[in-house]
Amino acid sequence: MTLTRKGLATRQRIVDGAAEQIREHGVFAVRLEDVMARTSTSKSQLFHYFPGGKDDLLLAVARHEADRVIEDQQPELGSLTSWDAWHRWRDKVLARYRTQGSDCPLHTALAQLGGVTDATRSVARELLARWQRQLADGIRRMQSDGSIAPHLDADREAAALLAGVQGGVLILMTTGESTHLEAALDTALARLRESR
């Protein structure tokens, strides 16, 4: 569906409102009527932009939250050009997930869609690919100035770092403790730094 600028703005207002509703009340408490009231949207408007109803809307919210995961790490994630920059990024990631705790809007929206489907896999795959690419770009920049050993495979190192972050986040969401996330970040950065 091709949307006008006004249509895009209306659709985004609905997604933003639904995301806020989920953050405040949880995905299980969200009703389409609540989203319509919050966004001053009629039922016909909501179904115009989300013909599949709540599932379509939740998928759009999941994409929105996936974008926020990357946006919340900027500008640090896009500027991994020194060890100070890497540590600023590390601190930002830790702060974000400590604040978030067990309440992950992306995970909640994806889980409510019924587990693993082609659509949820696509959202997760896109997010992880973007995140890994930016980490690998940072490693390559540091390899080009000699701060990281050139023999390391930047994509593989970025994949391992991202796997550590995601594992640490999952443990944090389960236990409320950020120790594992912090250890994964610190160990990965130490490995990169000591590779020279």
Side-chain angles (χ1 to χ4, degrees), residues 90 93-101 172 178-179 181-182:
R90 170 222 182 260
V93 168
L94 276 172
R96 179 195 198 278
Y97 286 107
R98 282 176 177 153
T99 300
Q100 176 182 287
L172 187 151
S178 62
T179 308
L181 175 57
E182 187 172 352

Side-chain angles (χ1 to χ4, degrees), residues 14-88:
I14 296 168
V15 170
D16 290 342
E20 290 168 7
Q21 193 78 19
I22 289 170
R23 276 188 229 106
E24 290 173 14
H25 304 286
V27 72
F28 299 109
V30 171
R31 299 174 317 133
L32 293 180
E33 294 81 8
D34 298 327
V35 175
M36 289 185 292
R38 181 178 207 120
T39 60
S40 303
T41 308
S42 69
K43 188 173 187 175
S44 63
Q45 279 181 305
L46 192 134
F47 280 93
H48 171 73
Y49 295 109
F50 305 98
K54 190 172 182 179
D55 282 355
D56 276 1
L57 179 57
L58 285 175
L59 191 58
V61 169
R63 283 198 171 93
H64 170 77
E65 293 298 339
D67 289 342
R68 283 192 62 202
V69 168
I70 300 296
E71 289 167 13
D72 287 352
Q73 296 177 58
Q74 300 300 348
E76 290 80 4
L77 180 60
S79 305
L80 299 172
T81 57
S82 69
W83 291 117
D84 284 343
W86 278 94
H87 285 282
R88 283 191 301 275

Side-chain angles (χ1 to χ4, degrees), residues 100-129:
Q100 176 182 287
S102 62
D103 182 28
C104 175
L106 173 61
H107 175 76
T108 303
L110 290 174
Q112 179 62 20
L113 287 167
V116 179
T117 65
D118 288 343
T120 59
R121 252 191 218 107
S122 174
V123 170
R125 197 170 25 244
E126 290 167 15
L127 165 63
L128 295 173

Side-chain angles (χ1 to χ4, degrees), residues 161-180:
L161 176 53
L162 183 54
V165 169
Q166 288 300 291
V169 169
L170 182 59
I171 292 171
L172 187 151
M173 288 173 55
T174 305
T175 66
E177 297 292 324
S178 62
T179 308
H180 296 84

